């Protein structure tokens, strides 16, 4: 009886057998009620009011309509929204089907597939645990960090790895550089510096819709090396600006008017973001992860920040310049001119006031960090130490406080799960498993009589389009980067070329779908782009990027001597 009443938000009917059951029902909803009820034989009555110990005001009124039915009455009860029952608690623990599938993959490898002669029992057992861990990253029986921890625990319990070996990657320099990079991104958002830079570009270039898009695109490329999170740039800086400009032009989300301006700006910024992230080593967390995994396979890139930028510069800049224009033709906005945008930007800058002390500190700190990233090798200062110096300055001067760092959950989550993967991948290399896999791939490619350029193209395309199965760029890197790099090396592809090309692809496939990356979820969630358009434009721009990076990139990389 009570359950029926509890689930009613409008006038509902239920049965009352006795007066005491009504009193019990009302008492159930209040900690200290005083109910005064007068029940007569008339067809309808009204309760007075109910008071709570925390307030002297009436909490609610119940309109009761009683209809005699032998010893039962029908009561119409209008419950206030406060009486709505709490939603059922979410299911606890691991999702059963993904859990079974993830564990089954490891068990099948361990016990059903014969161990190759070239692989040690320890290596084969670690491979089975590693594959279960990777399967869990894709199927998500638990959050990524939790599942990685379970994989690490399994490796220790089964004595596959010692405790010290299992946790050795937690002292890895690149992983801590990634963690600190998340804190830098938080500083950009907290101080408002990223918002200010983007608003200046709108003021300078925003007289037309196309110019507005170029202004936003170039401003993201400018702040990308010092704000190493594509998702943070999307959600913390650019989407708020795009929404403000769109609404001022009468372009509303989840509405036919979205096509006036908002749809184009969101799509253009979304598709351009991957090239901004590919341009600089420190523009996205997954870039650093790629180079660390490449190092585990023996591909070491000297002066990584400069080498990365030199190789990416020409194809990335061509793509950044081409993307807004191509989308302007293929996915045109209804509003072509935005003469009010510069005025809006100027007004916003006026409201923001002069550059604050914290913003100047952020600028100086980022200039110092980027300078040390570029020239740190000559000074003997590793990249992670440069980042530590920058973070220390921000903490000392109060631009960030320790609570800011503690609340950056994505940083600590990345530390947990990626350190586990890096540690396992390193041990697979040490135990000879990766060498055995590379030899197998090399034999297959030799049997197909593919030259290394042909194998390079096939493997790059496969690595790119398999991302339709992934909902995370870093998850894709952790699952497949090492394997695909090993295949490239086995096919005879020059190591640095293979490592960088796969890493650049990791940024470019972030705009394939509405779930392909963190920024994809941010931009799609704004409500300006329809789902079919996301997939359509995602595929078209993937082909465009493949042509630009494959054509311009291959010529540029030949000039740089990468092959």
């Amino acid at each position: 009886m009570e359950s029926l009443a509890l689930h009613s938000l409008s006038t509902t009917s239920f049965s009352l057998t006795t007066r005491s059951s009504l009193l019990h029902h009302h008492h159930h909803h209040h900690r200290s009620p005083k109910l005064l009820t007068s029940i007569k034989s008339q067809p309808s009555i009204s309760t007075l009011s109910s008071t709570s110990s925390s307030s002297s005001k009436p909490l609610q009124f119940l309109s009761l309509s009683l209809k005699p039915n032998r010893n039962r009455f029908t009561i119409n009860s209008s419950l206030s929204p406060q009486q709505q029952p709490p939603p059922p608690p979410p299911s606890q623990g691991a999702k059963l089907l993904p859990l079974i599938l993830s564990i089954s993959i490891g068990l099948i490898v361990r016990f059903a597939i014969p161990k190759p002669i070239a692989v040690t029992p320890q290596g084969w057992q670690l491979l089975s645990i590693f594959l279960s861990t990777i399967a869990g990253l894709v199927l998500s029986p638990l959050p990524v960090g939790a599942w990685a921890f379970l994989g690490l625990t399994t490796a220790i319990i089964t004595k596959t790895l010692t405790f010290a070996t299992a946790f050795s990657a937690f002292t890895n320099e690149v992983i801590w550089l990634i963690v600190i990079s998340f804190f830098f991104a938080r500083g950009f958002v907290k101080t408002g510096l990223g918002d200010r830079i983007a608003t200046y570009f709108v003021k300078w270039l925003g007289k037309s819709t196309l110019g507005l898009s170029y202004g936003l695109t170039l401003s993201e490329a400018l702040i990308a090396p010092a704000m190493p999170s594509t998702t943070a740039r999307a959600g913390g800086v650019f989407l708020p600006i795009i929404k403000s400009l769109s609404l001022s032009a009468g372009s509303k989300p989840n509405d036919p008017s979205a096509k006036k301006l908002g749809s184009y700006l969101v799509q253009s910024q979304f598709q351009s973001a991957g090239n901004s992230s590919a341009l600089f080593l420190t523009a996205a967390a997954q870039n650093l992860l790629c180079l660390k995994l490449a190092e585990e396979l023996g591909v070491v890139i000297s002066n990584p920040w400069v080498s990365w930028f030199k190789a990416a510069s020409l194809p990335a800049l061509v793509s950044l310049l081409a993307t807004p224009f191509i989308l302007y033709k293929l996915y045109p906005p209804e509003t072509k001119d935005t003469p009010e945008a510069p005025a809006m930007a100027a007004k916003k800058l006026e409201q923001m006031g002069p550059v604050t002390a914290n913003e100047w500190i952020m600028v100086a700190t980022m200039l110092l960090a980027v300078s040390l990233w570029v020239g740190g090798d000559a000074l003997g200062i590793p990249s992670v130490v440069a980042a530590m110096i920058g973070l220390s300055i921000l903490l000392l001067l109060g631009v960030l406080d320790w609570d800011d760092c503690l609340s950056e959950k994505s940083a600590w989550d990345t530390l947990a799960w990626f350190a586990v993967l890096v540690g396992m991948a390193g041990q697979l290399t040490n135990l000879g498993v990766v060498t055995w896999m590379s030899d197998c791939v090399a034999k297959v490619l030799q049997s197909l009589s593919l030259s290394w350029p042909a194998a390079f193209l096939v493997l790059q395309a496969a690595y790119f389009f398999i991302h339709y199965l992934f909902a995370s760029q870093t998850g894709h890197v952790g699952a497949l980067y090492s394997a695909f790099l090993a295949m490239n090396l086995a096919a005879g592809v020059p190591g640095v070329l293979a490592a960088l090309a796969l890493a650049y692809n990791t940024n470019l496939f972030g705009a394939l779908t509405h779930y392909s990356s963190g920024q994809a979820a941010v931009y799609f969630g704004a409500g300006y782009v329809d789902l079919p358009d996301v997939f359509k434009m995602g595929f078209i721009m993937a082909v465009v990027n493949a042509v630009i990076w494959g054509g311009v990139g291959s010529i540029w990389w030949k000039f740089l001597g990468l092959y």
Side-chain angles (χ1 to χ4, degrees):
M1 179 180 71
E2 290 182 7
S3 63
L4 291 174
L6 284 171
H7 284 85
S8 175
L9 294 178
S10 58
T11 304
T12 327
S13 295
F14 65 98
S15 298
L16 177 70
T17 55
T18 64
R19 175 181 173 182
S20 61
S21 65
L22 173 62
L23 293 174
H24 175 72
H25 167 76
H26 203 276
H27 179 75
H28 179 72
H29 289 290
H30 300 283
R31 288 172 294 180
S32 178
K34 295 179 181 178
L35 182 65
L36 298 176
T37 309
S38 175
I39 299 181
K40 298 181 181 180
S41 60
Q42 288 92 339
S44 65
I45 63 169
S46 298
T47 65
L48 297 178
S49 65
S50 169
T51 60
S52 168
S53 59
S54 60
S55 173
S56 60
K57 297 179 181 180
L59 291 180
Q60 62 198 14
F61 291 89
L62 293 179
S63 178
L64 307 179
S65 178
L66 303 186
K67 297 178 182 179
N69 181 10
R70 296 182 182 179
N71 294 327
R72 304 175 68 188
F73 297 90
T74 301
I75 301 180
N76 292 329
S77 172
S78 296
L79 299 181
S80 65
Q82 289 78 8
Q83 284 182 292
Q84 184 180 2
S91 58
Q92 294 183 342
K95 301 172 187 174
L96 188 58
L97 182 59
L99 176 68
I100 294 172
L101 291 174
S102 300
I103 294 176
S104 297
I105 289 172
L107 292 175
I108 290 171
V109 172
R110 176 65 180 86
F111 297 106
I113 299 178
K115 181 186 72 66
I117 298 174
V119 180
T120 64
Q122 182 187 6
W124 194 246
Q125 185 158 292
L126 180 59
L127 177 62
S128 67
I129 297 172
F130 181 74
L131 291 176
S132 273
T133 305
I134 295 299
L137 297 185
V138 177
L139 300 174
S140 300
L142 285 172
V144 173
W147 185 253
F149 184 79
L150 262 64
L152 189 70
T153 303
T154 303
I156 296 172
I157 290 175
T158 57
K159 300 188 183 302
T160 309
L161 297 176
T162 64
F163 184 90
T165 303
F167 278 86
S168 60
F170 281 83
T171 61
N172 185 278
E173 291 184 3
V174 172
I175 294 173
W176 280 102
L177 176 58
I178 294 165
V179 171
I180 296 173
S181 295
F182 280 102
F183 302 153
F184 285 161
R186 190 177 187 89
F188 261 84
V189 175
K190 182 179 179 180
T191 61
L193 179 61
D195 193 15
R196 185 184 295 274
I197 292 172
T199 305
Y200 267 113
F201 273 89
V202 172
K203 179 182 177 182
W204 296 332
L205 300 174
K207 291 183 179 180
S208 67
T209 301
L210 185 59
L212 191 59
S213 179
Y214 274 113
L216 293 169
T217 298
L218 294 176
S219 62
E220 178 162 11
L222 178 66
I223 68 175
M227 191 175 184
S229 170
T230 319
T231 305
R233 296 197 300 269
V237 177
F238 292 100
L239 183 59
I241 292 175
I242 290 172
K243 289 177 70 174
S244 177
L245 291 168
S246 300
L247 290 172
S248 69
S251 181
K252 302 175 183 178
N254 302 308
D255 187 83
S257 63
K259 299 288 186 182
K260 291 179 66 176
L261 183 64
S263 295
Y264 167 72
L265 290 181
V266 167
Q267 192 72 266
S268 179
Q269 198 68 21
F270 176 36
Q271 295 296 335
S272 299
N275 286 289
S276 296
S277 296
L279 183 56
F280 302 100
L281 174 61
T282 51
Q286 63 265 16
N287 297 347
L288 299 160
L289 310 184
C290 290
L291 291 200
K292 179 57 191 173
L293 291 175
E295 186 180 321
E296 295 286 344
L297 292 175
V299 180
V300 180
I301 299 175
S302 60
N303 200 355
W305 204 95
V306 175
S307 298
W308 178 289
F309 175 73
K310 283 170 59 179
S313 56
L314 189 58
L317 289 173
V318 171
S319 288
L320 283 171
L321 293 174
T323 297
F325 180 76
I326 292 173
L327 286 170
Y328 190 77
K329 296 298 183 181
L330 298 180
Y331 194 71
E334 295 174 1
T335 301
K336 307 295 183 182
D337 297 312
T338 54
E340 72 285 349
M344 285 181 57
K347 183 178 180 181
K348 181 177 179 181
L349 289 169
E350 183 179 348
Q351 292 173 345
M352 294 175 75
V355 180
T356 64
N358 281 351
E359 287 178 273
W360 282 120
I361 294 170
M362 196 74 205
V363 169
T365 303
M366 289 296 94
L367 288 175
L368 174 63
V370 172
S371 299
L372 290 176
W373 285 333
V374 173
D377 282 359
L379 300 174
I381 301 176
S383 296
V384 67
V385 176
M388 292 171 67
I389 293 171
L391 179 59
S392 297
I393 292 172
L394 296 179
L395 290 171
L396 282 170
L397 297 181
V399 176
L400 290 174
D401 55 44
W402 192 239
D403 283 340
D404 292 323
C405 298
L406 291 176
S407 60
E408 195 63 39
K409 293 182 179 179
S410 55
W412 303 113
D413 187 49
T414 300
L415 170 66
W417 75 261
F418 194 70
V420 172
L421 288 186
V422 168
M424 287 188 181
Q427 291 305 310
L428 286 173
T429 302
N430 294 338
L431 295 171
V433 177
V434 174
T435 302
W436 165 74
M437 293 175 64
S438 300
D439 291 341
C440 293
V441 172
K443 291 177 182 177
V444 172
L445 294 175
Q446 287 172 3
S447 67
L448 297 174
S449 300
L450 291 178
S451 62
W452 77 255
F456 174 75
L457 292 176
V458 170
L459 291 171
Q460 293 292 331
Y463 180 77
F464 188 97
F465 286 108
I466 203 172
H467 192 66
Y468 278 109
L469 303 177
F470 284 85
S472 164
Q473 289 167 287
T474 49
H476 188 138
V477 171
L480 296 178
Y481 182 87
S482 294
F484 271 83
L485 180 55
M487 292 182 217
N488 275 270
L489 296 176
V493 181
V496 174
L497 173 64
L500 289 177
L502 288 170
Y504 297 148
N505 261 334
T506 300
N507 291 288
L508 299 178
F509 59 45
L512 268 179
T513 67
H514 65 299
Y515 58 83
S516 57
S517 60
Q519 64 270 22
V522 170
Y523 283 125
F524 177 71
Y528 278 101
V529 183
D530 295 330
L531 190 57
D533 290 334
V534 174
F535 277 84
K536 179 183 176 182
M537 290 298 111
F539 180 79
I540 291 173
M541 293 312 301
V543 174
V544 170
N545 282 321
V547 171
I548 293 175
W549 282 81
V552 176
S554 60
I555 297 171
W556 180 238
W557 297 333
K558 178 68 173 177
F559 175 76
L560 294 177
L562 294 185
Y563 66 95

